[in-house]
Amino acid sequence: KRPASSLIFIFGGSGDLNFRKLSPALYNLFIDEWMPTKFSIVGIGRRPYNNEDYRKHLLNGVQQFSRRKEGETGAGKWQDFSQYVSYLQMDAEQDAEYQKIADIVKQKEKEFGEHPNVIFYLAVAPQLVPGIVSKLGPLNICADTKCTRVVVEKPFGHDLESALELNKLLASMFDEKQIYRIDHYLGKETVQNILAMRFANALFEPIWNRNYIDHVQITASETVGVEGRGDYYERAGALRDMVQNHILQILCMVAMEAPVNFEADEIRNKKVDVLNAIRKISTEDVHRYAVRGQYGDGWMQGDKVPGYAQEKSVDPNSKTDTFAAVKFYIDNWRWQGVPFYVRTGKRMHEKTTIVTVQFRPAPNYAFPAESADTWRPNRLTISIAPDMDIRLRFQAKRPGQDMTLKPVDMIFSYKDAYEEHEPEAYETLLLDVMEGNATLFMRSDQVQASWEIIKPIQDTWAARQPVDFPNYAPGSWGPEDAEALIARDGRNWVTLP
Ligand code: BG6
């Protein structure tokens, strides 16, 4: 069923996120007939575009970044779609300009013959968000808690204090149920599937706890550098950019208790319980639980790449982390004593996001010692991207007269199991906003709890400058200290062949 008629305003309409992600996502929703029968998309920006040039600009983005390119079989609907897209040139810092938005709403109401959902998507630099929110809030339409929604991109604040302040500002203008704080990892098909795997099967839940699980790992590595986003990244760093949001959200999916139903608040309650149970690392202990890194210059796949400090808009003496690894503990009955190791970084060996659940050894290994060259525990690996599969590793007997054991993988692969192509995360999330379903969005208390977890690490890192940056080579798996973090516990990071 298509969502109710919607009017979508995109602040940052001439920006990168809209170009690469939002417009391609809306276009794909249109092709798949998920867009409302009556809708309109208004890109808002400072740059002087007329509608025609603006549409051309977006088409260029679709050609580069959409999962279905215009002209491909099954696509070919740009001409129709683009008629719903227009551009509003305005200076979002001027109060008076907001009247233009109110006028468009009135005009669309007339055109549609009904009051549509009014969605404000803030795809702008984080420092612009408070200004826009405080100018939008007073518009009459924003008091409509049923139809008006505001979508806030990450980073949601810069630290605990700024996130609390932003939450307070948003709460003074909008009802919590109007606020959609986006974390695009939650829109990924494979991340949502963690819930299906855990709670639609009776098989995993009985062993999903400290009695059977040795530890959990989450790796989100990237091969790209900062891709010209030095300005933003200098103020962010890997811990803020990836751990505070995406990685902690995946961790919640792995660790949460079973929900009673799939209502937005029920799922979010269960997730926030996990965040609240994560042990706060004391500042004196940060060095034992967290490792930071920054890439130097070097070679990647035959290309010479600059170090982080030589990237555009980056301070040559920058101490910003482009890599972070942390060991978390969740202090509750299910997870007491089970470490969750997480790591993320730019310019690493490969682009991959995987979750690994490693089980405890068999209680009694009755096979002769020579039966296995290396003993390997059972392991469940969930590949989130770019590969999308789940593999369960177990020991099997190798054919032959001897009892020789060898680990084998049982693999469920999306590619082999399904013909249909999975939607992009932003497609799922934009559709959810139009439908008014906030399950995959962050509630204010989740954001707060995540920042509280990160705070001691952030504070300690800010107070003690790293002396060894850059400390990892491009194309590697990060700094040696990250290996040591896990090796100290007699474990190692898992990479797939
Ligand atoms: C974004 C970060 O949220 O996620 C980027 O700001 C990062 O720095 C990106 O590159 C990774 O997303 P994905 O979906 O490509 O893993």
Side-chain angles (χ1 to χ4, degrees):
K1 187 172 156 281
R2 290 171 186 255
S5 43
S6 300
L7 169 55
I8 307 173
F9 291 97
I10 302 177
F11 286 86
S14 52
D16 211 43
L17 184 72
N18 187 31
F19 184 71
R20 285 169 183 248
K21 298 285 186 190
L22 306 182
S23 286
L26 290 162
Y27 174 55
N28 279 287
L29 285 172
F30 182 76
I31 295 172
D32 290 337
E33 301 183 355
W34 278 113
M35 287 304 282
T37 6
K38 294 173 188 168
F39 74 95
S40 185
I41 302 166
V42 184
I44 300 178
R46 264 192 224 227
R47 274 180 236 176
Y49 282 114
N50 59 33
N51 284 343
E52 204 184 318
D53 289 344
Y54 184 58
R55 290 169 188 157
K56 261 194 218 145
H57 161 73
L58 295 184
L59 174 59
N60 187 3
V62 161
Q63 295 301 52
Q64 290 178 58
F65 301 107
S66 167
R67 75 183 161 93
R68 272 171 302 202
K69 318 260 181 278
E70 175 61 6
E72 265 176 19
T73 331
K77 302 220 164 101
W78 178 261
Q79 188 55 29
D80 298 343
F81 172 74
S82 65
Q83 300 312 305
Y84 294 89
V85 179
S86 58
Y87 186 72
L88 169 65
Q89 187 186 5
M90 78 172 238
D91 180 354
E93 287 178 43
Q94 304 300 324
D95 284 43
E97 298 268 282
Y98 285 70
Q99 189 51 42
K100 292 183 185 169
I101 292 177
D103 292 345
I104 294 178
V105 176
K106 271 199 208 113
Q107 175 201 328
K108 291 292 167 189
E109 253 173 6
K110 239 190 245 154
E111 211 177 282
F112 294 168
E114 61 188 353
H115 181 67
N117 293 325
V118 180
I119 295 162
F120 296 109
Y121 198 117
L122 309 190
V124 294
Q127 58 274 25
L128 301 180
V129 170
I132 297 177
V133 169
S134 47
K135 291 182 187 63
L136 271 181
L139 296 182
N140 275 341
I141 29 164
C142 291
D144 179 346
T145 56
K146 200 166 155 281
C147 296
T148 303
R149 291 161 208 160
V150 56
V151 185
V152 189
E153 263 293 337
K154 69 166 276 271
F156 194 86
H158 180 75
D159 51 16
L160 179 61
E161 289 73 31
S162 55
L164 289 176
E165 221 168 274
L166 183 52
N167 270 340
K168 211 162 122 198
L169 174 66
L170 280 162
S172 69
M173 302 286 175
F174 299 96
D175 198 87
E176 177 64 28
K177 69 171 187 284
Q178 295 178 273
I179 307 166
Y180 289 71
R181 299 175 191 80
I182 251 187
D183 183 316
H184 81 277
Y185 268 55
L186 293 178
K188 291 184 190 244
E189 198 67 40
T190 36
V191 172
Q192 293 178 62
N193 190 47
I194 297 175
L195 294 191
M197 192 198 78
R198 288 192 56 201
F199 303 126
N201 298 294
L203 184 62
F204 300 106
E205 211 37 36
I207 53 167
W208 210 257
N209 57 53
R210 63 191 301 277
N211 297 326
Y212 297 93
I213 292 178
D214 176 74
H215 75 279
V216 176
Q217 294 184 20
I218 303 172
T219 292
S221 58
E222 295 184 271
T223 50
V224 292
V226 283
E227 298 182 293
R229 293 157 76 219
D231 224 11
Y232 154 75
Y233 205 83
E234 273 288 86
R235 278 175 276 184
L239 188 71
R240 283 192 182 91
D241 188 45
M242 295 290 290
V243 181
Q244 184 270 341
N245 34 64
H246 306 324
I247 289 188
L248 283 179
Q249 283 304 306
I250 297 177
L251 187 149
C252 285
M253 304 286 242
V254 175
M256 68 191 260
E257 296 301 314
V260 175
N261 56 48
F262 265 73
E263 297 296 315
D265 273 331
E266 169 63 5
I267 303 274
R268 300 194 289 183
N269 288 343
K270 292 291 190 290
K271 283 168 55 178
V272 86
D273 282 349
V274 174
L275 295 173
N276 287 331
I278 292 183
R279 191 181 302 166
K280 303 285 175 309
I281 303 171
S282 70
T283 32
E284 306 78 61
D285 277 344
V286 165
H287 67 284
R288 297 202 296 124
Y289 286 90
V291 169
R292 59 183 149 170
Q294 188 188 85
Y295 61 85
D297 61 351
W299 292 85
M300 275 186 86
Q301 281 145 10
D303 291 326
K304 177 105 178 107
V305 296
Y308 174 70
Q310 288 92 54
E311 300 266 15
K312 204 172 126 239
S313 315
V314 170
D315 174 358
N317 296 311
S318 174
K319 300 297 176 207
T320 301
D321 48 302
T322 61
F323 173 97
V326 188
K327 173 163 86 163
F328 291 115
Y329 280 102
I330 303 171
D331 289 331
N332 62 17
W333 274 55
R334 187 189 283 268
W335 295 115
Q336 190 61 243
V338 178
F340 283 68
Y341 302 95
V342 309
R343 61 174 175 170
T344 184
K346 301 274 186 200
R347 286 277 187 239
M348 289 178 65
H349 186 71
E350 62 182 317
K351 164 87 181 159
T352 185
T353 306
I354 56 168
V355 177
T356 303
V357 178
Q358 180 136 327
F359 293 91
R360 287 181 185 275
N364 178 27
Y365 203 73
F367 298 92
E370 60 277 15
S371 65
D373 40 3
T374 36
W375 167 80
R376 301 222 174 77
N378 296 141
R379 198 160 77 188
L380 185 78
T381 307
I382 306 169
S383 296
I384 289 172
D387 292 337
M388 297 171 60
D389 57 46
I390 297 179
R391 43 183 83 203
L392 182 61
R393 185 178 75 179
F394 57 96
Q395 297 279 30
K397 181 184 174 309
R398 193 180 233 164
Q401 303 305 346
D402 296 332
M403 177 53 84
T404 309
L405 304 176
K406 188 177 176 287
V408 290
D409 275 342
M410 202 154 70
I411 304 177
F412 151 68
S413 147
Y414 273 74
K415 213 166 58 250
D416 299 340
Y418 302 110
E419 267 176 23
E420 52 274 48
H421 208 290
E422 74 287 351
E424 283 275 338
Y426 275 99
E427 293 172 40
T428 304
L429 296 172
L430 280 161
L431 182 59
D432 281 352
V433 177
M434 289 187 276
E435 285 174 341
N437 178 358
T439 312
L440 300 178
F441 294 80
M442 309 273 287
R443 214 170 47 190
S444 64
D445 53 345
Q446 290 177 292
V447 171
Q448 178 175 342
S450 311
W451 280 117
E452 281 167 357
I453 294 162
I454 295 301
K455 184 176 164 55
I457 309 176
Q458 254 184 330
D459 291 352
T460 312
W461 285 1
R464 290 191 216 132
Q465 296 278 300
V467 287
D468 59 348
F469 275 13
N471 61 353
Y472 71 98
S476 69
W477 280 108
E480 275 172 20
D481 284 354
E483 300 298 326
L485 175 82
I486 191 164
R488 275 202 297 274
D489 298 344
R491 303 183 174 106
N492 57 282
W493 293 107
V494 172
T495 46
L496 291 177

